[in-house]
């Protein structure tokens, strides 16, 4: 059986320890070279002689990974980052006239695959000494759609425009006004139209480093489409956007496709993924070890296969359990003791006015919070947390509040120091399921966005509190991590009889997690009106009616899916006033 060994020598600095690990290897002990420790202490593993006994990964669990490859991948990789480094085995296929989505967890090569398609990364086919030319790439993919794609690349008839994942890095590299950035990349005369469609007219004169995450995302999308191209690639185009903006951006991206133009999207919001793409690949593999790509499927099938966790054609199980979206009746029928209540709250902050009608939260409840950006969700959360004082109204403040902010601060402290309380109290309930142990010795400033998010959630839940306020806990997380986090939060609240208020823009995440919903109405940056909590169905109906979209439940997976505007189901549900099926 073929296997992949990945070694992180940054975490194996102690030569003595590496020699000790080497001495444990049964292959080395039998006199055959398998683990080598170089003069400078660097450890490497020969994948051909390794028998996969599992001893060395146990001795250095955070630095060595040995993974058996499925039979189907007993072949040359498309790209290998180095000896004992990540290997990529396949690529997604762009199709003209279609939006092709890529579904998969972080760390299994989505960005690498996109980099190769976009011509940013030259594959080496596992031979570290070379960078392949187009002829080799075309030969490698003979007889597939990918072959045709690279033939067109070679002829120069494919022009790629790419929106990177981390839009928050743009202000670090680019300075100046939004309009100047867009004019610089504009290849045609679509600037006014694009700016209008993406609703960024009012920020054109603003400096790039002064606009919000959601605005930055839409500016990055505008800059991508202003370049003339026939393959547009969007890596996570909806992070930082509220639901209204997510739907708007999805429509915008869909409309880019025509018979001469192809679009490829990586997205972790499953409802939006379903709405935005026609067909999809599933990327599977082992995090930071290897990644491969399933065959292309219609999006509905791809999502159901993804939730099932099993690829039939490839005979690969990539998750132990299937994901099922049960209706949440048992939760909404909970009759807990009241924890906190409010009535007639108001707060003026500059030109913004926030008011909250009557509402209450019971013990053990998880309340989802929906609303556009800039409508006062964070302000209300801060009023409940007593971080901001209200102007008027009543609030029962005899509860302790734990708060996770939307924007996460990182410093030089070690994760294990910051999470000391959570580790002592909730290793089984929080630290282990969130897989935080491998991060213990890292500084906060060294964590990726997703890692920092998990640490911030653990930090918040580890506090002595009765009510937890989590602002956008799904940001930076992949689908798998979102499912894990929703389960951790739900189980934690139930077991500890605590309550949570979850502000988020991922509808699936919220519907999977919440017992009830609060809806924020009003006009962004002017006034916000806090309504609820309501039963899930009532809250969703109220919110979706305003957005003019309807959701049905998929018969197989029970996942909520957006109906096409003016489709038969869309019209029927609107006539009945059922914008959401619980
Ligand atoms: Fe040696 Fe491979 Fe076993 Fe590690 S997993 S100890 S390299 S045989």
């Amino acid at each position: 059986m073929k296997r992949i060994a990945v070694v992180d020598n940054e975490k194996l600095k102690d030569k003595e320890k590496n020699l000790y690990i080497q001495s444990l290897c049964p292959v080395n002990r039998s006199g055959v070279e398998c683990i080598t420790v170089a003069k400078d202490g660097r450890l490497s593993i020969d994948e051909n002689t390794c028998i996969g006994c599992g001893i060395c990964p146990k001795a250095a669990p955070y630095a060595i990974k040995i993974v058996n490859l499925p039979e189907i991948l007993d072949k040359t990789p498309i790209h290998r980052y180095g000896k004992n480094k990540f290997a990529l085995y396949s690529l997604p296929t762009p199709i003209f006239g279609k939006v092709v989505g890529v579904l998969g967890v972080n760390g299994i090569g989505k960005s690498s695959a996109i980099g190769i398609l976009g011509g940013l990364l030259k594959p080496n086919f596992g031979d570290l000494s070379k960078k392949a030319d187009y002829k080799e790439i075309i030969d490698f993919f003979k007889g597939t759609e990918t072959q045709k794609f690279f033939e067109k690349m070679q002829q120069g008839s494919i022009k790629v425009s790419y929106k990177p994942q981390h839009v928050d890095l743009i202000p670090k590299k680019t300075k100046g006004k939004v309009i100047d950035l867009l004019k610089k990349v504009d290849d045609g005369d679509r600037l006014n139209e694009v700016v209008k469609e993406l609703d960024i007219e009012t920020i054109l004169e603003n400096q790039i480093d002064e606009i919000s995450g959601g605005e930055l995302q839409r500016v990055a999308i505008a800059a991508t489409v202003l370049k003339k191209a026939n393959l547009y690639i969007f890596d996570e185009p909806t992070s930082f956007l509220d639901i209204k903006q997510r739907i708007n951006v999805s429509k915008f991206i869909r409309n880019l496709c025509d018979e001469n133009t192809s679009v490829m999207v990586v997205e972790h919001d499953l409802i939006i993924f379903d709405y935005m793409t026609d067909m999809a690949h599933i990327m599977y593999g082992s995090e930071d070890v290897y990644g491969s790509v399933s065959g292309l499927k219609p999006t509905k099938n791809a999502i159901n296969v993804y939730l099932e966790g099993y690829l039939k054609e490839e005979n690969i199980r990539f998750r132990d359990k299937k994901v099922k979206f049960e209706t949440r009746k048992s939760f909404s029928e909970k009759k807990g003791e009241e924890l906190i209540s409010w009535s007639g709250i108001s707060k003026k902050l500059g030109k913004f006015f926030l008011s909250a009608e009557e509402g209450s939260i019971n013990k053990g409840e998880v309340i989802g919070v929906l609303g556009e950006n800039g409508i006062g969700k964070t302000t209300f959360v801060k009023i409940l947390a007593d971080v901001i004082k209200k102007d008027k109204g009543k609030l029962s403040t005899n509860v302790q509040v734990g708060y996770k902010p939307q924007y996460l601060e990182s410093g030089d402290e070690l994760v294990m120091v910051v999470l000391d309380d959570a580790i002592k109290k909730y290793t089984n309930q929080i630290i282990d399921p969130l897989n935080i142990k491998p991060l213990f010795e890292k500084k906060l400033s060294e964590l990726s966005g997703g890692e920092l998010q998990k640490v911030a959630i653990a930090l918040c839940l580890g506090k002595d509190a009765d009510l937890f306020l989590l602002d956008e806990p799904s940001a930076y997380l992949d689908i798998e991590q979102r499912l894990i986090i929703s389960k951790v939060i739900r189980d934690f609240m139930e077991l500890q009889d605590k309550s949570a208020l979850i502000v988020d823009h991922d509808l699936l995440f919220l519907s999977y997690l919440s017992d009830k919903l609060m809806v924020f109405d009003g006009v962004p940056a002017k006034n916000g009106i806090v309504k609820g909590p309501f039963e899930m169905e009532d809250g969703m109906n109220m919110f979706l009616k305003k957005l003019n979209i309807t959701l049905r439940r998929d018969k197989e997976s029970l996942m909520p899916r957006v109906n096409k505007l003016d489709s038969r189901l869309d019209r029927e549900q609107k006539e009945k006033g059922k914008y959401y099926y619980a």
Side-chain angles (χ1 to χ4, degrees), residues 43 56 78 81 132 135 157 180 216 257 325 327 412 417 424 448 454 496 514 534:
L43 184 149
C56 67
I78 286 172
Y81 278 89
K135 191 183 167 311
S157 59
D180 296 332
L216 209 47
C257 256
F325 295 94
T327 47
D412 277 344
V417 175
K424 279 186 196 139
S448 69
K454 289 197 290 182
Q496 302 293 327
S514 315
F534 303 105

Side-chain angles (χ1 to χ4, degrees), residues 176-330:
K177 286 183 185 174
V178 170
I179 184 70
D180 296 332
L181 166 80
L182 295 180
K183 274 185 180 163
K184 220 185 275 172
V185 291
D186 185 19
D187 285 344
D189 49 7
R190 290 192 61 216
L191 200 139
N192 290 343
E193 184 195 331
V194 166
V195 156
K196 200 167 170 218
E197 283 186 49
L198 289 170
D199 196 18
I200 48 175
E201 292 153 301
T202 53
I203 57 157
L204 290 178
E205 293 301 319
N206 294 13
Q207 296 291 323
I208 288 158
D209 56 4
E210 284 171 2
I211 60 178
S212 71
E215 289 164 344
L216 209 47
Q217 183 67 269
R218 282 173 288 151
V219 169
I221 294 170
T224 308
V225 302
L226 285 172
K227 282 182 215 153
K228 271 216 173 95
N230 51 2
L231 170 59
Y232 292 99
I233 302 177
F234 297 93
D235 198 349
E236 298 189 26
T238 71
S239 329
F240 305 112
L241 301 184
D242 64 32
I243 298 167
K244 192 174 168 189
Q245 291 160 351
R246 284 178 192 207
I247 298 278
N248 190 35
V249 158
S250 302
K251 284 184 196 156
F252 178 79
I253 287 178
R254 284 197 67 85
N255 286 339
L256 290 173
C257 256
D258 58 33
E259 56 186 6
N260 301 314
T261 314
S262 169
V263 175
M264 189 162 272
V265 178
V266 175
E267 174 60 49
H268 295 307
D269 179 332
L270 263 193
I271 291 183
I272 291 297
F273 185 94
D274 180 33
Y275 188 62
M276 197 184 317
T277 64
D278 300 299
M279 308 191 82
H281 289 283
I282 293 166
M283 277 201 84
Y284 61 93
S286 177
E287 201 181 324
D288 298 329
V289 178
Y290 79 92
S292 192
V293 184
S294 77
L296 200 56
K297 303 171 198 306
T299 296
K300 183 188 165 198
N301 298 3
I303 289 181
N304 285 346
V305 166
Y306 188 75
L307 297 173
E308 188 73 36
Y310 177 63
L311 285 163
K312 206 168 162 196
E313 289 87 358
E314 290 86 356
N315 188 22
I316 284 170
R317 176 154 289 289
F318 54 90
R319 192 185 319 102
D320 298 342
K321 286 183 201 141
K322 67 177 180 184
V323 178
K324 202 118 175 114
F325 295 94
E326 309 288 357
T327 47
R328 310 266 302 134
K329 282 217 170 78
S330 56

Side-chain angles (χ1 to χ4, degrees), residues 344-367:
I345 287 182
S346 64
K347 175 76 192 171
K348 201 166 181 345
L349 273 176
K351 286 181 186 160
F352 182 74
F353 184 75
L354 181 83
S355 61
E357 298 168 351
E358 208 170 351
S360 66
I361 298 169
N362 289 345
K363 280 188 183 171
E365 272 181 349
V366 179
I367 315 274

Side-chain angles (χ1 to χ4, degrees), residues 316-562:
I316 284 170
R317 176 154 289 289
F318 54 90
R319 192 185 319 102
D320 298 342
K321 286 183 201 141
K322 67 177 180 184
V323 178
K324 202 118 175 114
F325 295 94
E326 309 288 357
T327 47
R328 310 266 302 134
K329 282 217 170 78
S330 56
F331 282 86
S332 58
E333 279 164 5
K334 267 193 250 169
K335 296 252 181 298
E337 205 185 308
E338 186 179 286
L339 177 76
I340 187 169
S341 62
W342 60 88
S343 66
I345 287 182
S346 64
K347 175 76 192 171
K348 201 166 181 345
L349 273 176
K351 286 181 186 160
F352 182 74
F353 184 75
L354 181 83
S355 61
E357 298 168 351
E358 208 170 351
S360 66
I361 298 169
N362 289 345
K363 280 188 183 171
E365 272 181 349
V366 179
I367 315 274
V369 179
L370 284 171
E372 294 177 46
N373 278 335
I375 203 143
K377 296 188 300 293
T378 313
T379 306
F380 180 66
V381 159
K382 285 185 176 169
I383 290 173
L384 291 191
D386 208 24
V387 176
I388 295 179
K389 300 276 174 214
K390 60 187 172 5
D391 295 338
K392 281 184 192 158
K394 279 194 208 150
L395 176 68
S396 60
T397 49
N398 51 345
V399 289
Q400 283 275 97
V401 174
Y403 175 61
K404 184 202 82 67
Q406 180 182 17
Y407 296 106
L408 310 171
E409 305 247 332
S410 61
D412 277 344
E413 307 96 315
L414 287 181
V415 169
M416 63 194 299
V417 175
V418 173
L419 291 185
D420 190 40
D421 280 352
I423 295 166
K424 279 186 196 139
K425 289 193 279 186
Y426 305 121
T427 292
N428 288 341
Q429 268 182 64
I430 300 173
I431 303 295
D432 285 347
L434 295 185
N435 197 22
I436 292 179
K437 266 187 190 151
L439 311 175
F440 274 5
E441 283 168 36
K442 282 191 177 179
K443 291 177 185 170
L444 292 182
S445 55
E446 291 168 350
L447 302 180
S448 69
E451 290 169 340
L452 191 60
Q453 184 68 269
K454 289 197 290 182
V455 170
I457 292 168
L459 177 66
C460 175
L461 297 184
K463 285 180 185 152
D464 261 333
D466 308 299
L467 175 64
F468 295 90
L469 306 164
L470 297 154
D471 202 349
E472 295 200 28
S474 81
Y476 302 107
L477 300 180
D478 64 38
I479 305 164
E480 214 78 16
Q481 290 166 330
R482 286 176 197 205
L483 290 169
I484 294 170
I485 293 242
S486 26
K487 190 168 175 347
V488 167
I489 296 174
R490 233 170 48 185
D491 290 352
F492 182 83
M493 300 308 152
E494 268 206 79
L495 276 169
Q496 302 293 327
D497 205 22
K498 311 267 184 185
S499 313
L501 211 52
I502 314 287
V503 179
D504 212 278
H505 298 304
D506 182 331
L507 275 185
L508 188 63
F509 178 71
L510 274 194
S511 66
Y512 191 64
L513 177 73
S514 315
D515 300 314
K516 290 183 179 170
L517 271 187
M518 285 176 74
V519 179
F520 279 64
D521 217 340
V523 181
K526 281 192 180 159
N527 72 310
I529 305 152
V530 187
K531 294 178 175 173
F534 303 105
E535 295 300 319
M536 278 301 285
E537 195 172 343
D538 299 338
M540 277 286 195
N541 266 333
M542 178 186 288
F543 183 72
L544 296 175
K545 194 172 181 182
K546 236 191 133 198
L547 291 180
N548 197 28
I549 57 171
T550 53
L551 290 185
R552 68 182 183 282
R553 273 197 187 266
D554 185 81
K555 286 194 182 83
E556 229 175 281
S557 63
L558 298 180
M559 188 185 113
R561 306 186 65 201
V562 180

Side-chain angles (χ1 to χ4, degrees), residues 24-28 34-35 45 49-57 66:
L24 298 176
C25 176
V27 181
N28 283 66
C34 179
I35 296 184
I45 295 172
T49 57
C50 167
I51 55 167
C53 73
I55 291 176
C56 67
I66 310 273

